[in-house]
Amino acid sequence: MSNKTLAIIKPDAVKKNVIGQIVTKITEAGFKINGIKQVRMSKASAEAFYEVHKERPFYNELVEFMTSGPVVPIALERENAVAEYRKLIGATDPAQADEGTIRKLFAANKAENAVHGSDSDENALIEIGHFFSKSELI
Ligand code: ADP
Ligand code: MG
């Protein structure tokens, strides 16, 4: 059975020119790309996307970071996609992330941490819908 997850290559990684390396790691880990694009998130889009973190002290910083440059959302499919993708990216703080994970390789710190990953099957579908219309996905 295959599941969905949403990845986002965040502005720090886009600026570092590592989109290709990150996409390669994702596809080599067995994920199928159902949709990919580069977009600049508006403040309203970033605020809505991270609504669950509204009460967290880093919310404003997070919205500012995510709107600081273009991002690359990627709709992914794989068996056990949410957990497998989170394993591939590593811990939120790259200092805590396992060797070889995307965040260990490409993230600077726990705020500017290279990539996003959905945290549940339910949120994955909501998050994919935030960036992609049905006709943009295979
Ligand atoms: P994850 O992205 O691993 O699911 P969270 O959902 O907890 O992590 O947080 C969402 C995003 O908010 C993180 O990826 C990171 O960019 C940012 N963030 C999390 N914790 C902090 C923090 N303590 N200070 C600044 N930014 C943070
Ligand atoms: Mg999260």
Side-chain angles (χ1 to χ4, degrees), residues 8-16 18 22 39-43 45-47 49-50 53 57-72 92 94 103 106-117:
I8 306 175
I9 303 178
K10 295 184 177 182
D12 58 325
V14 173
K15 283 177 188 150
K16 280 184 197 158
V18 292
I22 292 174
V39 298
R40 182 71 176 259
M41 293 180 85
S42 66
K43 188 164 184 275
S45 169
E47 284 174 348
F49 187 82
Y50 284 113
H53 293 313
F58 57 81
Y59 179 70
N60 289 335
E61 181 192 342
L62 177 57
V63 168
E64 202 162 299
F65 166 53
M66 290 301 288
T67 58
S68 67
V71 299
V72 177
T92 306
R103 281 170 166 165
F106 302 115
N109 56 61
K110 68 184 168 205
E112 306 206 346
N113 60 359
V115 284
H116 167 82

Side-chain angles (χ1 to χ4, degrees), residues 25-133:
K25 285 198 75 79
I26 290 170
T27 52
E28 282 179 348
F31 291 87
K32 181 178 168 204
I33 294 176
N34 286 342
I36 183 167
K37 58 172 78 168
Q38 179 166 305
V39 298
R40 182 71 176 259
M41 293 180 85
S42 66
K43 188 164 184 275
S45 169
E47 284 174 348
F49 187 82
Y50 284 113
E51 174 106 49
V52 293
H53 293 313
K54 203 168 51 196
E55 305 307 326
R56 308 278 283 275
F58 57 81
Y59 179 70
N60 289 335
E61 181 192 342
L62 177 57
V63 168
E64 202 162 299
F65 166 53
M66 290 301 288
T67 58
S68 67
V71 299
V72 177
I74 313 171
L76 296 172
E77 183 173 344
R78 211 209 106 131
E79 192 181 322
N80 201 15
V82 167
E84 289 296 331
Y85 176 76
R86 292 197 69 96
K87 208 188 292 173
L88 180 68
I89 66 176
T92 306
D93 183 348
Q96 314 291 324
D98 290 341
E99 289 301 324
T101 59
I102 290 173
R103 281 170 166 165
K104 187 68 165 191
L105 289 167
F106 302 115
N109 56 61
K110 68 184 168 205
E112 306 206 346
N113 60 359
V115 284
H116 167 82
S118 306
D119 61 9
S120 68
D121 288 355
E122 187 193 359
N123 283 338
L125 298 185
I126 295 168
E127 292 181 355
I128 289 168
H130 186 91
F131 289 102
F132 295 96
S133 62

